[in-house]
C-alpha cells in the first residue's frame, strides 16, 4: 500500500472519530450531581460507602468522607479520579484550589471552585 494512501486512511479515520465524538457529546466534560458522584466514588473504591459528599457548584469535584477518611473526587474528561487526602498541601488560586498530594499517580489536583467554596473546602481539608 502506498504511503500516501495509508496517510489518507489515517487522516480520514481521525476526522471520523472526531465527528462521532462531537455528535455523541463526548467532547464535553462530565458534570456530576451527588448521586453520580456517589456511584463514581463507589465504582472507583469498591467496598467503600460514602458517608458524606460535598459537591462543588461546578459539578467537577467533590469532597467525600468515607470510612473515616476524606477523599477528593474530580472530573477528568468523561471519567473521574479519587484519592485519599492525607495531609495535602493546599494552594489557593484565583479559580479555586490546587492540592499537592503524596501520590505519584496524581501529584497535583487543580479544583475549580467558587471563592466561598474554596475557603470552606480549605477548612474541611485542614481539619482532617
Amino acid at each position: 500500500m502506498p504511503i500516501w494512501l495509508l496517510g489518507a486512511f489515517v487522516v480520514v479515520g481521525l476526522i471520523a472519530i472526531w465527528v462521532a465524538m462531537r455528535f455523541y457529546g463526548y467532547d464535553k466534560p462530565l458534570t456530576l450531581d451527588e448521586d453520580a458522584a456517589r456511584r463514581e466514588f463507589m465504582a472507583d473504591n469498591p467496598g467503600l460507602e460514602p458517608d458524606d459528599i460535598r459537591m462543588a457548584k461546578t459539578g467537577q469535584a467533590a469532597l467525600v468522607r468515607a470510612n473515616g477518611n476524606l477523599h477528593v473526587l474530580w472530573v477528568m474528561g468523561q471519567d473521574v479520579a479519587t484519592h485519599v487526602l492525607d495531609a495535602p498541601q493546599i494552594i489557593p488560586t484565583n479559580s479555586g484550589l490546587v492540592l499537592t498530594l503524596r501520590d505519584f499517580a496524581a501529584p497535583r489536583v487543580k479544583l475549580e471552585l467558587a471563592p466561598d467554596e474554596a475557603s470552606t473546602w480549605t477548612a474541611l481539608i485542614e481539619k482532617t
Side-chain angles (χ1 to χ4, degrees), residues 4-5 8 25 29 34 42 51 56 59 63 66 70-71 75 80-81 90-91 97 105 107 114 120-122 125:
W4 65 268
L5 186 58
E34 191 170 328
M42 290 171 61
D51 300 324
L63 283 178
L70 190 63
H71 302 256
V75 172
V80 300
I90 304 168
I91 304 165
L97 297 174
T120 304
W121 281 39
T122 300
I125 294 168

Side-chain angles (χ1 to χ4, degrees), residues 32-107:
L32 300 171
D33 59 8
E34 191 170 328
D35 291 333
R38 180 179 303 280
R39 281 192 312 274
E40 292 290 343
F41 178 82
M42 290 171 61
D44 211 25
N45 300 280
L48 281 181
E49 180 77 29
D51 300 324
D52 183 41
I53 298 175
R54 180 172 297 247
M55 293 296 304
K57 291 177 184 173
T58 61
Q60 300 293 304
L63 283 178
V64 181
R65 185 165 304 282
N67 200 24
N69 294 321
L70 190 63
H71 302 256
V72 63
L73 178 144
W74 72 97
V75 172
M76 296 186 324
Q78 287 289 317
D79 201 7
V80 300
T82 60
H83 284 277
V84 175
L85 291 177
D86 182 23
Q89 179 184 2
I90 304 168
I91 304 165
T93 64
N94 291 337
S95 61
L97 297 174
V98 173
L99 304 178
T100 303
L101 306 174
R102 297 182 196 178
D103 189 341
F104 70 92

